[in-house]
Amino acid sequence: PAKIEVWRYSDDRMREIGTRLGRYVNSGRPRLAWEPVPDERVLVQILDRLNPWSRQNRSQGDWQPDDLLQSLPEDLRNHPSLQQLISDEDLARLTFSKHDVRLLQYAVWHRDVSEWARGFSFDPLERAKSLFDWTIRNVQLDEKSDYRARLPGQVLMYGHGTAAQRAWVFVTLCRQQRIDAVVLTGPSEGESQTAEFWLPAVFHEGQLFLFDTRLGLPLPGPTDNGVLTLAQLQENPDLLAGLSIDGMDYAITPSQIQNPIINIVAAPFELTQRAELLADELTGDDRLELVVDATAQAEQLQQANGSLRIQLWDVPFQTLKTQLRWNASARRREARSFQPFAWRPSLWKARVLQFQGKKETRKDPRRGGMEEQIDSHREAVQL
């Protein structure tokens, strides 16, 4: 007769998932990092070890929040929902939260992807082109009407995002390779007070190279295999004439091309003292780019593009604000979207293995210390 197995742990886990998702939908608690991820026990262990470590580190007496935070719109900077994340006290705080550890997990995903998706070139621009290609192929483009407020790690897990969210993922991948990238927005025209998202740009050798996440390609420059720079486009706006499709003009007007806004991409956690202390400790294979020195980056950009306005991109802050204020209907929609990953841990594991995606060697003691090839992509496909 077939062997009978009692899956008590599985039943308990399913009940726990249902309880936690129901609590989040009904009460909105916790407001961040609410997902019952399959590897949550590891994240809890990391949190339990990080905070005793952080308490042993003294606060840097001369540490101050980044001055570029003042470039955020006042209504966003002073919004009650965001104060727990961007107040001076929270930015200087050394203890980590559950949400912080989830962001560390996302950073590891971005680092892992960037390590193999960058290609084999040593040229930063060629690496950026490879990372952009991976972003376009792995994040399906959603219309604005399908927008959901999600962080880059969440966009990666679901594989969906708007053009702006694609840009956020691309800039984050570039950062893990220490490639400077920003987001350009076109100044508002008419009565609108909101600057329209345009595209991400890689800052290299004093130039801003343009990548379009709507079209899914680097804007072609005047030379073969080249990427169009902002300076070239401002000198000759007609270079965009070939990008009009089926009678539809390109998304930005010539007047906006002459005066774009340069947006430095940084989320609240990347501006904290605790992220800076942790990043200093992670070296070698454990290296993670966790910190954005927005003011220093702005100074470099100012030297090369002195006439342009430079500010923090408000999208990361707006995203968190929206997540903190979701109503029950929006929370139910997000819980249903996440359910497959909670109910089928193999899907979550497959996605993480896809992010690792590289072949690595390790010695297998069962084979006399012989090296064994590991292909995370193949295992991800099987799962």
Side-chain angles (χ1 to χ4, degrees), residues 125 182-187 198-204 206-211 219-222 227-240 250 252-263 301 304-310:
L125 187 58
V182 296
V183 165
L184 301 184
T185 54
W198 180 18
L199 42 68
V202 170
F203 183 58
H204 177 58
Q207 297 288 334
L208 287 168
F209 293 84
L210 309 179
F211 294 75
L219 293 186
V227 180
L228 185 65
T229 68
L230 179 61
Q232 291 170 336
L233 182 58
Q234 289 175 326
E235 184 178 348
N236 183 12
D238 292 338
L239 290 171
L240 292 181
Y250 189 67
I252 193 167
T253 65
S255 62
Q256 290 174 313
I257 289 172
Q258 298 303 324
N259 298 289
I261 301 171
I262 301 178
N263 297 267
L301 289 162
N305 305 273
S307 62
L308 297 181
R309 175 179 161 193
I310 302 175

